[in-house]
């Protein structure tokens, strides 16, 4: 690592005067690059910005940062918007909405031209005509002699005449920012005081590339200013860039917004989470049966930002409740550990919540009906509302996702057994039927005791009775124990299935 960010410095109160809120209401933005899928870290950034805005009646903006056209992935903006919508994160301004647009950076190129001219004029930026070849040689030499590879700022010293000549000759150029060596200390809303001297480790950075596209740093600063952004909440990987951004703000004579950086999300064992891991894509959570409110609560439970009463257990909050209770200073600066068990717990709670609501529970029933019909197409099924509802209620504290109920283990719940099974002792099953009809409680342990007694009093071996019952109830080899299966099917459905084979 070549750079050192000094954390927890005491910032003198006069270090930076932050942009004040004209309306008293914050304006924040989520500024993803359309380079692929929205992953868990991106969703967290969007969510915390959204909650911050919502908690203070502010505005949440979506801005697409596509200045690096080589990394752009087709369809990713649409996918991103879909994922945000799914998660319940609504933007008031963004592509197609709001008055500070366009909100896609590649549509703002003339704006960046206008603003780069200002920096060229006030002498804080300059044209650089160095060729890619020269820059590569500089890099190679630095690596060879174990120095930090950085641009040597040669074009800073070109005379006006030199510049004119090169421009007339049509020599391609980029525009660089003159870094100064004064340390820009700032108060990070999450990490506290931060200081870092950019010029120690970097040559003058490019603001505008030779193809007329701005770099991330330049476009980001210009847009945050023009869009009236008051607070920047973003991943900690950008913290190193903030001091550079502050220098650009100063070069324009603008007041910067306040900055807060969200810590890394890491695996449960503390190792680095890779974007490439499928399980961090929001789309995969959705496909795997995780509900949006469960994911949103999970993020806030692991990342902080709320008063947490130790031992109070997990309680799901609505988006409104989350916004009301959100406190930025409670966001933890420690890396957030992924905790799959906590996510599962949140999803279970969400299914419970939905089952209590008439409309939502019907949606769950429909969802399960569709899943079952798809999986067991062409088979004789029981997917009646009542049956599904009964099973869902039973399964509430046992399952994590609705999809669990269509695993092979639970096939017996939905597939009706054949009614023409010859080898069954119908007389015995008829007696058992009468016997079971009188049974008041239909829970697993009562059933087990009862079936044991029945096998003794009717002189039939218990395993034999169980085999027969399993055939009558499901006709399948897979599934839980017979008593558990009967409890799951419920009294009505169990007796009906036995009746179907004996009568
Ligand atoms: N475009 C950057 C990203 O992809 C945004 C960084 C920022 O929020 O300033 O994460």
């Amino acid at each position: 690592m070549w750079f050192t960010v000094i954390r927890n410095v005491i910032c003198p109160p006069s270090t930076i005067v932050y942009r004040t809120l004209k309306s008293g209401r914050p304006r924040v933005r989520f500024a993803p690059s359309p380079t692929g899928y929205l992953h868990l870290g991106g969703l967290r950034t969007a969510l915390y910005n959204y909650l911050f805005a919502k908690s203070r009646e502010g505005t949440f903006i979506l801005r697409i940062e596509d200045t690096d056209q080589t990394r752009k992935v087709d369809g990713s903006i649409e996918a991103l918007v879909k994922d945000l919508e799914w998660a319940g994160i609504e933007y008031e301004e963004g592509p197609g909405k709001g008055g500070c647009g366009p909100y896609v950076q590649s549509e703002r190129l003339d704006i960046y031209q206008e603003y780069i001219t200002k920096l060229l004029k006030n002498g804080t930026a300059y044209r650089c005509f160095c060729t890619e070849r020269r820059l590569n040689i500089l890099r190679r030499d630095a690596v060879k002699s174990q120095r930090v590879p950085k641009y040597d700022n040669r074009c800073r010293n070109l005379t006006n005449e030199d510049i004119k000549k090169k421009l007339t000759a049509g020599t391609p150029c980029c525009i660089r920012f003159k870094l100064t060596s004064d340390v820009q200390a700032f108060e990070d809303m999450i990490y506290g005081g931060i200081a870092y001297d950019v010029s120690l480790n970097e040559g003058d950075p490019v603001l505008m590339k030779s193809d007329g596209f701005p770099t991330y740093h330049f476009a980001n600063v210009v847009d945050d200013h023009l869009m009236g952004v008051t607070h920047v909440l973003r991943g900690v990987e950008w913290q190193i860039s903030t001091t550079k951004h502050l220098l650009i703000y100063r070069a324009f004579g603008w007041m910067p917004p306040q900055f807060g950086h969200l810590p890394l999300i890491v695996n449960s064992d503390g190792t680095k989470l890779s974007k490439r891991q499928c399980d961090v894509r929001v789309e995969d959570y959705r496909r795997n049966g995780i509900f949006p409110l469960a994911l949103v609560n999970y993020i806030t439970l692991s990342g902080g930002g709320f008063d947490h009463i130790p031992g109070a257990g997990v309680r799901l909050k609505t988006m409104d409740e989350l916004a009301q209770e959100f406190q930025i200073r409670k966001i933890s600066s420690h890396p957030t550990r992924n905790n799959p068990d906590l996510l599962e717990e949140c999803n279970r709670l969400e299914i419970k919540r939905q089952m209590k609501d008439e409309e939502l529970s019907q949606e769950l029933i429909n969802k399960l009906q569709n899943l079952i019909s798809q999986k067991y197409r062409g088979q004789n099924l029981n997917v009646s509302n009542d049956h599904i509802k009964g099973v869902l209620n039973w399964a509430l504290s046992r399952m994590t996702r609705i999809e669990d109920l269509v695993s092979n283990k639970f096939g017996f719940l939905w597939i009706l057994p054949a009614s023409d099974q010859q080898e069954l002792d119908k007389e015995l099953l008829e007696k058992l039927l009468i016997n079971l009809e009188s049974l008041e409680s239909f829970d697993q342990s009562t059933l087990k005791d009862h079936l044991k007694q029945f096998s003794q009093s009717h002189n039939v071996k218990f395993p034999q009775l169980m085999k027969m019952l399993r055939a009558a109830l499901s006709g399948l080899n897979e599934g839980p124990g017979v008593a558990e299966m009967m409890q799951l099917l419920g009294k009505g459905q169990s007796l009906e299935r036995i009746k179907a084979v004996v009568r």
Side-chain angles (χ1 to χ4, degrees), residues 187-202:
E187 188 66 29
D188 188 303
M189 289 185 284
I190 293 161
Y191 283 82
I194 299 286
Y196 169 59
D197 181 354
V198 198
S199 71
L200 279 182
N201 306 295
E202 284 182 45

Side-chain angles (χ1 to χ4, degrees), residues 134 141 143 201 206 278 355 357 379 419:
R134 173 166 195 272
D141 286 353
V143 174
N201 306 295
V206 175
C278 300
M355 280 306 285
D357 179 289
Q379 304 205 45
S419 53

Side-chain angles (χ1 to χ4, degrees), residues 257-464:
Q258 263 179 273
F259 293 90
H261 293 90
L262 299 163
L264 281 181
I265 301 182
V266 294
N267 289 318
S268 44
D269 60 2
T271 55
K272 197 169 175 269
L273 198 69
S274 156
K275 277 191 198 178
R276 275 163 223 101
Q277 272 173 277
C278 300
D279 65 340
V280 298
R281 296 197 323 204
V282 171
E283 188 185 314
D284 289 328
Y285 287 113
R286 179 171 63 230
R287 283 220 201 108
N288 289 334
I290 296 296
F291 286 99
L293 198 63
L295 189 57
V296 158
N297 271 272
Y298 165 66
I299 292 174
T300 57
L301 283 164
S302 8
F306 298 84
D307 274 326
H308 182 66
I309 306 156
V314 180
R315 186 178 75 78
L316 280 201
K317 293 174 185 158
T318 62
M319 211 49 129
D320 285 339
E321 284 175 308
L322 286 171
Q324 258 168 30
E325 296 173 22
F326 179 66
Q327 299 170 57
I328 197 156
R329 56 188 180 83
K330 291 260 158 86
I331 294 181
S332 156
S333 63
H334 297 296
T336 307
R337 283 186 186 232
N338 230 350
N339 178 351
D341 292 343
L342 180 59
L343 176 61
E344 298 208 331
E345 172 69 4
C346 290
N347 215 43
R348 270 195 290 276
L349 290 173
E350 173 58 1
I351 296 175
K352 267 189 194 167
R353 184 187 76 88
Q354 294 192 15
M355 280 306 285
K356 282 194 199 133
D357 179 289
E358 208 177 313
E359 210 172 296
L360 294 176
S361 66
Q362 190 55 50
E363 275 174 28
L364 283 185
I365 293 171
N366 296 346
K367 178 176 174 176
L368 190 48
Q369 268 167 346
N370 283 336
L371 289 171
I372 298 165
S373 314
Q374 268 167 31
K375 173 149 181 182
Y376 301 109
R377 195 164 295 155
Q379 304 205 45
N380 191 15
L381 301 174
N382 180 359
V383 284
S384 72
N385 267 2
D386 282 351
H387 178 47
I388 293 198
K389 197 171 185 172
V391 173
L392 274 172
N393 277 326
W394 173 85
L396 276 185
S397 40
R398 296 165 171 86
M399 68 175 175
T400 303
R401 301 149 214 260
I402 297 293
E403 284 75 0
D404 294 349
L405 290 171
V406 279
S407 67
N408 291 346
K409 181 170 119 190
F410 290 122
F412 73 94
L413 286 170
W414 323 115
I415 304 171
L416 289 168
S419 53
D420 57 349
Q421 302 186 53
Q422 302 301 328
E423 67 283 13
L424 299 179
D425 182 341
K426 296 191 176 169
E427 221 172 285
L428 185 74
L429 284 176
E430 181 87 50
K431 281 183 194 150
L432 179 65
L433 197 57
I434 298 166
N435 200 287
L436 289 173
E437 263 161 3
S438 62
L439 208 59
E440 267 171 32
S441 161
F442 222 71
D443 68 86
Q444 194 177 332
S445 78
T446 313
L447 278 164
K448 209 170 193 170
D449 291 347
H450 197 79
L451 291 170
K452 273 202 176 128
Q453 274 172 23
F454 182 89
S455 74
Q456 275 162 13
S457 57
H458 289 77
N459 230 355
V460 50
K461 284 193 179 121
F462 186 65
Q464 203 187 333

Side-chain angles (χ1 to χ4, degrees), residues 29 31-33 65 216 220 224 232-234 237-238 245:
R29 79 326 188 255
S33 299
E65 300 205 324
Y216 152 73
N220 188 272
D224 279 346
V232 168
L233 264 183
R234 59 185 170 197
E237 65 275 23
W238 300 105
H245 295 178

Side-chain angles (χ1 to χ4, degrees), residues 116 119-127 175-178 207:
I116 200 69
L119 296 191
L120 282 173
K121 273 196 183 142
N122 75 13
T124 52
Y126 62 93
R127 289 199 165 81
I175 297 169
R176 291 187 185 265
F177 182 66
K178 274 186 201 162
L207 295 183

Side-chain angles (χ1 to χ4, degrees), residues 81-94:
V81 167
K82 184 174 160 199
D83 283 343
L84 290 179
E85 245 168 41
W86 172 80
I89 300 173
E90 296 157 35
Y91 54 91
E92 276 154 82
E93 293 179 28

Side-chain angles (χ1 to χ4, degrees), residues 105-161:
Q105 289 186 327
S106 58
E107 295 167 21
R108 298 171 63 81
L109 299 186
D110 48 345
I111 300 178
Y112 306 126
Q113 281 303 334
E114 181 189 336
Y115 281 88
I116 200 69
T117 312
K118 290 184 197 281
L119 296 191
L120 282 173
K121 273 196 183 142
N122 75 13
T124 52
Y126 62 93
R127 289 199 165 81
C128 167
F129 297 89
C130 290
T131 58
E132 203 46 48
R133 191 162 166 271
R134 173 166 195 272
L135 298 176
N136 280 338
I137 294 172
L138 281 182
R139 235 171 269 140
R140 239 195 355 244
D141 286 353
V143 174
K144 246 193 231 157
S145 51
Q146 295 185 319
R147 280 178 289 113
V148 180
K150 55 180 188 176
Y151 177 57
D152 59 0
N153 304 345
R154 185 170 82 166
C155 290
R156 259 195 199 202
N157 307 316
L158 291 178
T159 62
N160 282 345
E161 213 164 304

